Amino acid sequence: MRAPELRARVVHANQELVRHGLVHLTWGNVSECDREEGIIAIKPSGVSYAELTAESIVIIDWDGKTVDGDLKPSSDLATHLEIFRNFDGVGGVTHTHSTAATAFSQAGKPLPCFGTTHADHFFGEVPLVRELNEEEVAEAYEENTGKAIVEHFQNAGLDPLAVPACLQKFHAPFIWGASAMDSVKNAVALEMCCDMALKTLSLNPDAQALPSHILRKHYLRKHGPGAYYGQG
Amino acid sequence: MRAPELRARVVHANQELVRHGLVHLTWGNVSECDREEGIIAIKPSGVSYAELTAESIVIIDWDGKTVDGDLKPSSDLATHLEIFRNFDGVGGVTHTHSTAATAFSQAGKPLPCFGTTHADHFFGEVPLVRELNEEEVAEAYEENTGKAIVEHFQNAGLDPLAVPACLQKFHAPFIWGASAMDSVKNAVALEMCCDMALKTLSLNPDAQALPSHILRKHYLRKHGPGAYYGQG
Amino acid sequence: MRAPELRARVVHANQELVRHGLVHLTWGNVSECDREEGIIAIKPSGVSYAELTAESIVIIDWDGKTVDGDLKPSSDLATHLEIFRNFDGVGGVTHTHSTAATAFSQAGKPLPCFGTTHADHFFGEVPLVRELNEEEVAEAYEENTGKAIVEHFQNAGLDPLAVPACLQKFHAPFIWGASAMDSVKNAVALEMCCDMALKTLSLNPDAQALPSHILRKHYLRKHGPGAYYGQG
Amino acid sequence: MRAPELRARVVHANQELVRHGLVHLTWGNVSECDREEGIIAIKPSGVSYAELTAESIVIIDWDGKTVDGDLKPSSDLATHLEIFRNFDGVGGVTHTHSTAATAFSQAGKPLPCFGTTHADHFFGEVPLVRELNEEEVAEAYEENTGKAIVEHFQNAGLDPLAVPACLQKFHAPFIWGASAMDSVKNAVALEMCCDMALKTLSLNPDAQALPSHILRKHYLRKHGPGAYYGQG
């Protein structure tokens, strides 16, 4: 995929964040990478969604250097890069401060898998990733945020393609997928599941996680080898 | 009713789910049957609502075989079929993962009849239907979901036309009605009543159900033999 | 005011309910009276807001008989009539099942005056009116609903122009004002104040009512003899 | 800046309140001052946002006298003036009754800094300012509201440019910024942070404030001397 096509896809994915109510002001960004070309397209920093054009999307190489574009990339670029470099098969990354997912991050709670809506998108609990310490913040805040995410998945033995999201403590969600739009869809699913979980816990503080045989069925009918959901 | 008319009605009913905010992404489906013709029209699986056209609606016979249409039907088709086959007088079925109704499903709670908004649509509590066990999931998940719903209404002696909805544990609501649009209206009513009930319980955890003489009055002035609500 | 003008005002006020998100499906109605002409204009029963036209508005005389219009009036007409007949100075009545106000009704709680938003519209607590007993429902449900409202205000010594709304237990709010649009604005204010109160109580179950000197100041700067809010 | 330009900016900023869902009916107002010209432009009192035009914006001098415009200024003018006179560097002031921020005001709670969304806009807790006593209300309600805000920041040693907002007890938020639009953006951020905080506390009543090293990092990467967020 060449830069113009990648830019068009990334500007569209960023605008979808607005349409789905996941961002206010300039609080969010979506990127997509082309692993063959070794390039990443990402939203420019602090630009309003109404003013976003394909030309304003910044093209970055695998080392994080801008190779095309007049604007500065999102300040969260280094976090996106860590995710692309360490999670094989990820083609798109989304970061938002969507309300319910951010509430889970601020409450310091992972998102339990309370039902099939969650199981259709995430194969089990969406983890809480720790906050950074003083040294990590001072040294390279955004890069170390990405490293903390990668480290969490590795230590927990979690497959990032099966659980394509996390909640960072005191911060907000990071979400990924096979493409930019796929990561946006997962961001929508995460926000909806967090909103449903808030209400589930309000009704029943002792709500139980979905039994594993139903989790497997729902996840696999959509994402497994014999998936039969959709027009496949 | 012939297939073209049925398709037009079903595509409209599916689009109404979006307009009423009951679905995100592709999380929902509406069907309608014509009992004389022995056919059912249903949303194709995984197709986005923006791309939905009358032509994309799938026509199914009473045995669940596609008789017209190029796409695969909704993966929930077998659940719809069980409802049509066992609940006489039902002409339309809706399935959503709307937020408040799904929260009740996940919390494992039926929806109490807290007021007249509920009584205008459902003659008493909307029941919680159990989740499936491992064997039922492995054997025929979607069909057995429908069987569990039908079994619940039969065992509880509930009239499915008087209480045209249920909440499946760990999953989400299934709703029905005289037609596709009627099931969508009941889906709107269910979501609003669940949202009101969440807030009612937040204000008063000991909130009482509507007295039966008011339940009867409200339900019957709209649905009883001497109904006087509407233009008759 | 002649019937055509009254109809135009009432169709507009009903449509404003939709724009402000106070009604779903056909759950609400607004009326306006002309005391000199002795007529009331009201929404027809069960007609969707999208199909509502000025011609469809029903004109009623002071005894509740239809004097012009082809459709049946709202089934809540008799409640509106009781309010017009007993509360001097009221020119418009609104009934909705808006979410937060209905939650207070279902919880069986009056709405405390927690702040200046409330004080700008209602001079103190919005009362909870009791539900009807079996005899009252059987005899004349809608008329007796209006009588219970009037009786509550009389027994409590409440001025219906200073507190232009109530919450009926197990049911929903009734709201009034100097005109149809004024009652709709009060319905918006009531719903917002109920939503804020739900959140206030979630943050602080012991939240206190607004001190009376601030209640008086806010209410009177907008509605008192020396009111200076607005363009006069 | 001349009056016509100031009016255009202020009418736009007021309309942005509506677009962001921060105001209902006429519950809010935005002003901007030009310190060189010694003038302030503010919304007229009680005018609906749909009818607001640049010509309707009122131009006020530093003593609070109308120097241009046919309408009465917002009844909250004196509060805006106190803020402009005492907080150097403030160019715009916004007042709303947005739902979640008003709930914190009514609950009598300051807004803790629970996460980075908050830290991107406010350098720590957003304070609760006391309500006025009887004498202060009787004497000069709106002016004394401004004095209470200024006094709070001075006594607490708070920099109003680093924490550009407060919540007044029993009332609602006041927000400011470098310009009218900047104060509106801070009003959006405050409402979102209050909504997230409500949900954070619902999930975890013991939620902790953001560690100070992350607060500093997020606030300073956007507002500090070496800020690198945005296009600079």
Side-chain angles (χ1 to χ4, degrees):
Chain A
M1 200 154 30
R2 308 268 295 287
E5 188 182 342
L6 206 57
R7 277 185 161 125
R9 292 163 61 89
V10 167
V11 77
H12 173 66
N14 274 281
Q15 287 161 342
E16 286 290 287
L17 289 184
V18 179
R19 196 173 67 81
H20 285 288
L22 298 187
V23 295
H24 294 264
L25 303 176
T26 58
W27 305 346
N29 41 72
V30 185
S31 67
E32 186 166 87
C33 75
D34 182 323
R35 288 173 184 272
E36 286 190 18
E37 302 272 339
I39 55 173
I40 292 135
I42 192 165
K43 179 177 180 291
S45 182
V47 172
S48 77
Y49 291 93
E51 291 166 15
L52 207 62
T53 59
E55 295 72 42
S56 67
I57 299 296
V58 190
I59 304 292
I60 305 287
D61 70 15
W62 216 247
D63 297 320
K65 297 214 184 72
T66 297
V67 294
D68 195 24
D70 299 327
L71 299 176
K72 283 164 59 186
S74 164
S75 54
D76 296 309
L77 168 65
T79 311
H80 290 239
L81 278 170
E82 283 301 309
I83 293 171
F84 284 129
R85 285 174 185 148
N86 290 281
F87 290 168
D88 287 348
V90 167
V93 174
T94 292
H95 174 51
T96 79
H97 288 228
S98 66
T99 305
T102 302
F104 270 86
S105 295
Q106 294 188 158
K109 307 256 182 191
L111 177 69
C113 179
F114 281 134
T116 61
T117 321
H118 183 126
D120 280 342
H121 294 268
F122 308 104
F123 193 39
E125 180 181 283
V126 173
L128 181 77
V129 169
R130 67 172 175 84
E131 77 273 25
L132 303 188
N133 62 33
E134 278 202 66
E135 291 71 33
E136 292 167 321
V137 167
E139 189 214 7
Y141 175 60
E142 292 83 4
E143 185 179 336
N144 287 335
T145 295
K147 287 188 195 301
I149 293 169
V150 170
E151 180 190 71
H152 184 101
F153 275 71
Q154 288 171 346
N155 291 351
L158 277 173
D159 175 358
L161 298 185
V163 182
C166 69
L167 301 158
Q168 194 188 21
K169 193 169 178 188
F170 296 118
H171 191 171
F174 288 89
I175 309 101
W176 48 88
S179 64
M181 261 315 295
D182 196 43
S183 70
V184 169
K185 286 180 184 174
N186 287 335
V188 173
L190 179 65
E191 178 63 11
M192 295 307 298
C193 289
C194 287
D195 192 22
M196 288 172 183
L198 264 157
K199 288 166 176 148
T200 300
L201 289 166
S202 161
L203 286 168
N204 182 358
D206 301 316
Q208 300 294 304
L210 183 66
S212 64
H213 66 278
I214 306 180
L215 167 59
R216 294 183 64 81
K217 176 66 184 180
H218 262 265
Y219 186 76
L220 297 173
R221 80 173 185 169
K222 211 162 166 178
H223 305 281
Y228 56 91
Y229 181 98
Q231 300 299 325
Chain B
M1 199 152 32
R2 309 266 296 287
E5 188 183 342
L6 206 56
R7 277 184 161 127
R9 291 164 61 89
V10 167
V11 77
H12 173 66
N14 274 282
Q15 287 161 343
E16 286 290 288
L17 289 184
V18 179
R19 196 174 67 82
H20 285 289
L22 298 187
V23 295
H24 294 265
L25 303 176
T26 58
W27 306 346
N29 41 72
V30 186
S31 66
E32 187 166 86
C33 74
D34 182 322
R35 288 174 184 271
E36 287 189 17
E37 301 272 340
I39 55 172
I40 292 135
I42 192 166
K43 180 178 179 290
S45 181
V47 172
S48 77
Y49 291 93
E51 291 165 14
L52 208 62
T53 59
E55 295 72 42
S56 68
I57 299 296
V58 190
I59 305 292
I60 305 288
D61 70 15
W62 216 247
D63 297 320
K65 297 212 184 74
T66 296
V67 294
D68 194 24
D70 299 328
L71 300 176
K72 285 165 55 188
S74 165
S75 55
D76 296 309
L77 168 64
T79 311
H80 291 238
L81 278 170
E82 283 301 308
I83 293 171
F84 283 128
R85 285 175 187 147
N86 291 280
F87 290 168
D88 287 348
V90 167
V93 174
T94 292
H95 173 51
T96 79
H97 287 228
S98 67
T99 305
T102 303
F104 270 86
S105 295
Q106 295 187 159
K109 307 256 181 193
L111 177 69
C113 179
F114 282 134
T116 62
T117 321
H118 183 125
D120 281 342
H121 295 268
F122 308 103
F123 194 39
E125 181 181 282
V126 173
L128 182 77
V129 169
R130 69 173 174 83
E131 77 274 25
L132 303 188
N133 63 31
E134 277 202 66
E135 291 70 35
E136 291 168 320
V137 166
E139 189 213 8
Y141 174 61
E142 292 83 3
E143 184 179 338
N144 286 334
T145 294
K147 288 188 195 298
I149 293 169
V150 169
E151 180 191 72
H152 184 100
F153 275 70
Q154 288 171 346
N155 291 350
L158 276 173
D159 175 359
L161 298 186
V163 181
C166 69
L167 301 158
Q168 193 187 24
K169 192 168 179 190
F170 296 118
H171 191 172
F174 287 89
I175 309 101
W176 47 89
S179 65
M181 260 316 295
D182 195 42
S183 70
V184 169
K185 286 181 184 174
N186 287 335
V188 173
L190 180 64
E191 178 62 12
M192 296 306 298
C193 289
C194 286
D195 192 22
M196 288 173 183
L198 264 158
K199 288 166 177 148
T200 300
L201 289 166
S202 161
L203 286 168
N204 182 359
D206 301 317
Q208 299 294 304
L210 183 65
S212 64
H213 66 279
I214 307 179
L215 167 59
R216 292 184 65 81
K217 176 66 183 178
H218 263 264
Y219 186 76
L220 296 174
R221 80 171 186 170
K222 214 164 166 178
H223 305 282
Y228 57 91
Y229 181 97
Q231 300 300 325
Chain C
M1 199 154 29
R2 308 267 294 289
E5 187 183 342
L6 206 57
R7 277 183 161 126
R9 291 164 61 89
V10 167
V11 77
H12 173 66
N14 275 281
Q15 286 161 342
E16 286 290 287
L17 289 185
V18 179
R19 195 174 67 81
H20 285 288
L22 297 187
V23 296
H24 294 264
L25 304 175
T26 58
W27 305 346
N29 41 72
V30 186
S31 66
E32 186 166 87
C33 75
D34 182 322
R35 288 173 184 271
E36 286 191 17
E37 302 272 339
I39 55 172
I40 292 135
I42 193 165
K43 179 177 179 293
S45 182
V47 172
S48 78
Y49 292 93
E51 290 165 16
L52 207 62
T53 60
E55 295 73 42
S56 68
I57 299 296
V58 189
I59 304 293
I60 305 287
D61 70 15
W62 216 248
D63 297 321
K65 299 212 184 73
T66 296
V67 294
D68 194 26
D70 299 328
L71 299 176
K72 283 165 57 187
S74 165
S75 55
D76 297 308
L77 168 64
T79 311
H80 291 239
L81 278 170
E82 283 301 309
I83 293 171
F84 284 128
R85 285 175 185 147
N86 290 281
F87 290 168
D88 287 348
V90 167
V93 175
T94 292
H95 173 50
T96 79
H97 288 227
S98 66
T99 306
T102 302
F104 270 86
S105 296
Q106 295 188 158
K109 307 256 181 193
L111 176 69
C113 179
F114 282 135
T116 62
T117 321
H118 184 125
D120 281 341
H121 295 269
F122 308 102
F123 194 39
E125 180 180 283
V126 174
L128 181 77
V129 170
R130 69 174 175 82
E131 77 273 25
L132 303 188
N133 63 33
E134 278 201 66
E135 290 70 35
E136 292 167 321
V137 166
E139 190 214 6
Y141 174 61
E142 292 83 3
E143 184 179 338
N144 287 334
T145 294
K147 287 188 195 300
I149 293 169
V150 169
E151 180 191 72
H152 185 100
F153 276 70
Q154 288 170 346
N155 292 349
L158 276 173
D159 175 0
L161 298 184
V163 181
C166 69
L167 301 158
Q168 194 188 21
K169 192 167 179 190
F170 296 118
H171 191 171
F174 288 88
I175 308 101
W176 47 87
S179 65
M181 260 316 295
D182 196 42
S183 70
V184 169
K185 286 180 185 174
N186 288 335
V188 173
L190 180 65
E191 177 63 11
M192 296 307 298
C193 288
C194 287
D195 192 22
M196 288 173 183
L198 263 158
K199 288 166 176 148
T200 299
L201 289 166
S202 161
L203 286 168
N204 182 358
D206 301 316
Q208 299 294 304
L210 183 65
S212 65
H213 65 279
I214 307 179
L215 166 59
R216 294 183 64 81
K217 176 67 184 179
H218 262 265
Y219 186 76
L220 297 173
R221 79 172 186 169
K222 213 163 166 178
H223 305 282
Y228 57 91
Y229 180 98
Q231 300 299 325
Chain D
M1 199 154 29
R2 308 267 293 289
E5 187 182 343
L6 206 56
R7 276 184 162 126
R9 292 164 61 90
V10 167
V11 78
H12 173 66
N14 275 281
Q15 287 162 341
E16 287 290 288
L17 289 184
V18 179
R19 196 174 67 81
H20 285 288
L22 297 188
V23 295
H24 294 264
L25 304 175
T26 58
W27 306 346
N29 41 72
V30 186
S31 66
E32 187 166 85
C33 74
D34 182 323
R35 288 174 184 271
E36 286 190 18
E37 302 271 339
I39 54 173
I40 292 135
I42 193 165
K43 179 176 180 292
S45 182
V47 172
S48 78
Y49 291 93
E51 290 166 14
L52 207 62
T53 60
E55 295 72 42
S56 67
I57 298 297
V58 191
I59 304 293
I60 305 287
D61 70 15
W62 215 248
D63 297 320
K65 299 213 184 73
T66 296
V67 294
D68 194 25
D70 299 327
L71 299 176
K72 283 165 57 187
S74 165
S75 54
D76 296 309
L77 168 64
T79 311
H80 291 238
L81 278 170
E82 282 301 308
I83 293 171
F84 283 129
R85 285 175 186 148
N86 290 281
F87 290 169
D88 287 348
V90 167
V93 175
T94 292
H95 174 50
T96 78
H97 288 227
S98 66
T99 306
T102 302
F104 270 86
S105 295
Q106 294 188 159
K109 306 257 182 192
L111 177 69
C113 179
F114 282 134
T116 61
T117 321
H118 183 126
D120 281 342
H121 294 268
F122 308 103
F123 194 40
E125 180 181 282
V126 173
L128 181 77
V129 170
R130 69 173 174 83
E131 76 274 24
L132 303 188
N133 62 32
E134 278 201 66
E135 290 71 33
E136 292 167 322
V137 166
E139 189 213 9
Y141 175 60
E142 292 83 3
E143 184 179 337
N144 286 333
T145 295
K147 287 189 195 300
I149 293 169
V150 170
E151 180 190 70
H152 185 101
F153 275 71
Q154 287 171 347
N155 291 350
L158 276 173
D159 176 358
L161 298 185
V163 181
C166 70
L167 300 158
Q168 193 188 22
K169 192 168 178 189
F170 295 118
H171 191 171
F174 288 90
I175 309 100
W176 48 88
S179 64
M181 262 315 296
D182 196 42
S183 70
V184 169
K185 286 181 184 174
N186 287 335
V188 173
L190 180 65
E191 177 63 11
M192 297 305 299
C193 289
C194 287
D195 192 22
M196 288 173 183
L198 264 158
K199 288 167 176 149
T200 299
L201 288 165
S202 161
L203 286 168
N204 182 357
D206 302 315
Q208 299 295 304
L210 182 65
S212 65
H213 66 279
I214 307 179
L215 167 59
R216 293 183 65 80
K217 176 66 184 179
H218 262 264
Y219 185 76
L220 296 173
R221 80 172 185 169
K222 214 164 166 178
H223 305 281
Y228 56 91
Y229 181 98
Q231 300 300 325

